Amino acid sequence: MNLKSATAAGFLCLVAGMLQACGGGSSGGSGEDVVIPLPTEAAPSSLLDLGGWALTIPRNPTGGTDGNAEVVSTSRLVEGYSSDWFQGVEGDGVMFFAPVHGALTANAKYPVSMLRELLDPEDASVNWTWDDFSRMDATLAVHQVPRENGKVVIGQIRGYNGENVAISELCKLVFETNGPGRGTLYVLVLDSPVAADSTARRLNLVGGLGLGETFTISLRVEDRTLHVASGDESVSTPIDSNWDGMGLYFRAGAALQAIGNSDTDGARVTFYQLGVTHGV
C-alpha cells in the first residue's frame, strides 16, 4: 500500500507566526516562522491509497475532546473522509494535526492523529511478526510541535494488544526541537512488550533538521533486527526475544508527548509519501 499524496490538518494559516491571529498556536517555540501548507478541497481518498489503514483522530465520535478518540475505519477513509485533523494540502502532502487538547484512545496519555496499518481491514488481530520482512518508508516534514516539550512521534512499530492494554511499542521515531527552528530525530526502543517507557533505549539518528524541512524515514524489520534510517544516516539494533510471536503493525502521523487545554497548540506533520512493504 502506498500513500501517494496527501492529507493535511490545520487552521488555514500561511506561517506558524500568524497562527495566534487566526486562532492557532505557534510552531511550538521554534523561534522562527514556518510555512504551513494550505488545505485543498481534494478528498484524501483521491490522493492516497487508504485501503490498508485506519485513522485515529483527537476527537470523540460526536466531535468533543472528552471520552475515547474516534477511529475512522478503512471503508470511511476510502469513501472520502476528511477533517481538520486529516485533509489534503498544497504540494500533494498529508498533514496530520494533533492538538494538546484532544480525546484519547483507551489507556493513552496523549492525543494523536495517526494512521494504523491494517493487513486485514476487517480484523485488527491480523498482523506481522519480527520474523517477517516488513518496511515502512516515508517522506515528510514537521511544521509544528507542542510548546511544552517540542516533541512529536512521527512513526511507530506497535505490538498488537487485543485485550491486554499493557502491550506497548517496539519502537517510536521522535522529532524533537532543540534550538530555534531546529530539531533532532531519534528512535526509542523497548526490549519488552510490557516494559515501561522510562526503560526505552535511545538511538540518535539525525540532528539539525529544520521545522518545515522535508526528510525521509525508513523503519525496517529484517532478520530479527530493527533498522531505522533517515537520508544517509541509519541505526540498527537486535530485537529482544521478549517480542517473539508478538503481532506488530506500523503507525504514521502525529502522536503527541504532551497534553493541555489549547485547541491549537500541538503538532502538524505533513507526509508527502508513505509506503509499506512486506515479505520481500
Side-chain angles (χ1 to χ4, degrees):
M1 57 195 138
N2 292 302
L3 196 60
K4 298 185 296 185
S5 340
T7 65
F11 290 3
L12 317 192
C13 299
L14 283 173
V15 293
M18 296 167 58
L19 288 171
Q20 290 184 346
C22 61
S26 76
S27 56
S30 67
E32 66 179 36
D33 291 339
V34 178
V35 174
I36 305 295
L38 289 171
T40 66
E41 295 183 359
S45 59
S46 71
L47 303 168
L48 316 175
D49 178 0
L50 299 175
W53 300 95
L55 174 73
T56 300
I57 61 171
R59 288 294 184 268
N60 65 34
T62 62
T65 57
D66 58 343
N68 290 332
E70 180 177 7
V71 177
V72 182
S73 67
T74 304
S75 60
R76 287 182 63 198
L77 290 176
V78 171
E79 289 168 1
Y81 173 84
S82 179
S83 70
D84 286 333
W85 332 113
F86 183 78
Q87 63 180 193
V89 291
E90 294 174 326
D92 290 335
V94 178
M95 190 180 289
F96 298 78
F97 175 45
V100 294
H101 184 211
L104 309 177
T105 57
N107 301 289
K109 297 178 181 178
Y110 310 111
V112 307
S113 176
M114 260 198 157
L115 288 170
R116 189 265 203 226
E117 179 193 18
L118 287 171
L119 296 181
D120 181 349
E122 302 301 323
D123 188 354
S125 69
V126 178
N127 297 288
W128 47 274
T129 62
W130 66 258
D131 55 350
D132 300 318
F133 175 93
S134 298
R135 177 169 177 161
M136 180 175 78
D137 295 280
T139 303
L140 65 149
V142 177
H143 290 99
Q144 180 186 350
V145 290
R147 296 189 189 99
E148 178 182 324
N149 57 19
K151 297 179 183 180
V152 58
V153 176
I154 57 177
Q156 293 177 314
I157 299 175
R158 289 195 63 89
Y160 175 71
N161 59 11
E163 299 301 320
N164 184 353
V165 298
I167 302 302
S168 189
E169 64 263 344
L170 169 64
C171 72
K172 56 186 175 184
L173 189 54
V174 183
F175 179 98
E176 179 178 358
T177 52
N178 55 3
R182 313 304 294 178
T184 295
L185 196 61
Y186 59 89
V187 190
L188 295 176
V189 181
L190 288 174
D191 290 329
S192 167
V194 294
D197 287 347
S198 60
T199 67
R201 292 183 287 117
R202 173 169 169 160
L203 306 176
N204 292 323
L205 191 58
V206 178
L209 288 172
L211 282 174
E213 178 181 345
T214 300
F215 59 95
T216 63
I217 60 170
S218 173
L219 298 175
R220 175 168 55 94
V221 171
E222 185 177 12
D223 297 330
R224 203 187 186 117
T225 303
L226 171 68
H227 306 273
V228 184
S230 180
D232 296 329
E233 303 298 325
S234 64
V235 293
S236 299
T237 186
I239 298 174
D240 194 276
S241 60
N242 287 316
W243 288 95
D244 287 2
M246 174 64 62
L248 301 169
Y249 58 88
F250 290 114
R251 295 180 84 197
L256 301 188
Q257 306 291 283
I259 196 164
N261 296 318
S262 173
D263 290 326
T264 53
D265 180 21
R268 302 171 194 265
V269 180
T270 304
F271 278 71
Y272 298 98
Q273 181 273 333
L274 176 65
V276 171
T277 305
H278 291 290
V280 176

